Amino acid sequence: METTFEKTVANLKHLLSICNDGKEGYKTAAENSDAAELKALFTTYSIQRAGYEMQLKTSIHQCHADPDNEAGGPLGVLHRVWMDIKTALSSNDNKAILDACITGEKAALEAYDKALEDQELLPEVKQVLVEQREGIADCLKNIQSLQQRYAA
C-alpha cells in the first residue's frame, strides 16, 4: 500500500512532468506561431514553466526524494506530437496553436487541483502549488482571450 509520503512525491513528480511538458509545448508554440505577440508570450510562458520546474524540484527535495524527471510525461509527449502535427497541417494557424495551449492548460489545472487535495502536503509545498496553479489559471484566461481575438 502506498504511503502518504509516496503519494505526495508521486503527485509532485507528476506536476514536474506537466511543467516540463508545458515548457516544451510553449517552446514549440513560439516556434510555430507567425505572430510576434504570440511568439513573445509563448516564450514567456515557457520560461515561467522552467521556473515552476525548479520550484517543484526544490519541493520534491523537501520531501527527501529525488526529482529525476526531465523528459515530461507520456501524455505530454503525445500532446506535443499532436500539437506539432496540428500546427504543420494548419500552416502556422495561430488559432489552432492557441486551441492546443488551452487544452494543455486545462489538463494542468486538473492535475494541480488533484495534487492540492493531498492533506499531507507540507505548508510551504502547498503554497508553491497554489501560486503555480494561479499562474496557470492566469495563462489560461489570457490565452482564451487571445483565442477570441485570433478567431475573428
Side-chain angles (χ1 to χ4, degrees), residues 14-32 39-57 67 69-73 76-77 79-80 83-84 100-101 104-105 108 112 136 139 143:
H14 180 63
L15 294 179
L16 178 60
S17 173
I18 287 172
C19 284
N20 185 60
D21 295 338
K23 176 184 73 177
E24 294 300 321
Y26 278 122
K27 182 179 174 189
T28 299
E31 292 167 355
N32 289 296
K39 282 184 180 294
L41 182 70
F42 295 149
T43 299
T44 299
Y45 289 161
S46 180
I47 293 167
Q48 176 196 55
R49 297 309 154 86
Y52 287 179
E53 282 182 303
M54 296 307 297
Q55 291 175 328
L56 287 168
K57 287 179 180 182
N69 184 3
E70 291 290 337
V77 171
H79 183 259
R80 285 194 302 272
M83 190 170 174
D84 288 343
C101 291
E105 293 297 45
Y112 272 82
I136 292 167
C139 291
I143 291 169

Side-chain angles (χ1 to χ4, degrees), residues 61-138:
H61 280 296
Q62 289 174 322
C63 294
H64 308 289
D66 182 18
D68 62 351
N69 184 3
E70 291 290 337
L75 293 178
V77 171
L78 291 174
H79 183 259
R80 285 194 302 272
V81 169
W82 175 83
M83 190 170 174
D84 288 343
I85 292 167
K86 187 171 184 176
T87 300
L89 294 175
S90 60
S91 302
N92 292 352
D93 178 357
N94 291 320
K95 184 185 176 308
I97 294 169
L98 290 165
D99 287 346
C101 291
I102 288 170
T103 299
E105 293 297 45
K106 286 181 177 178
L109 287 175
E110 287 177 22
Y112 272 82
D113 289 342
K114 182 177 184 252
L116 284 165
E117 291 173 5
D118 183 352
Q119 299 298 312
E120 300 299 321
L121 281 173
L122 298 170
E124 58 271 21
V125 172
K126 184 173 185 169
Q127 183 61 37
V128 166
L129 298 186
V130 167
E131 289 172 6
Q132 289 184 359
R133 191 205 179 281
E134 288 173 3
I136 292 167
D138 288 344

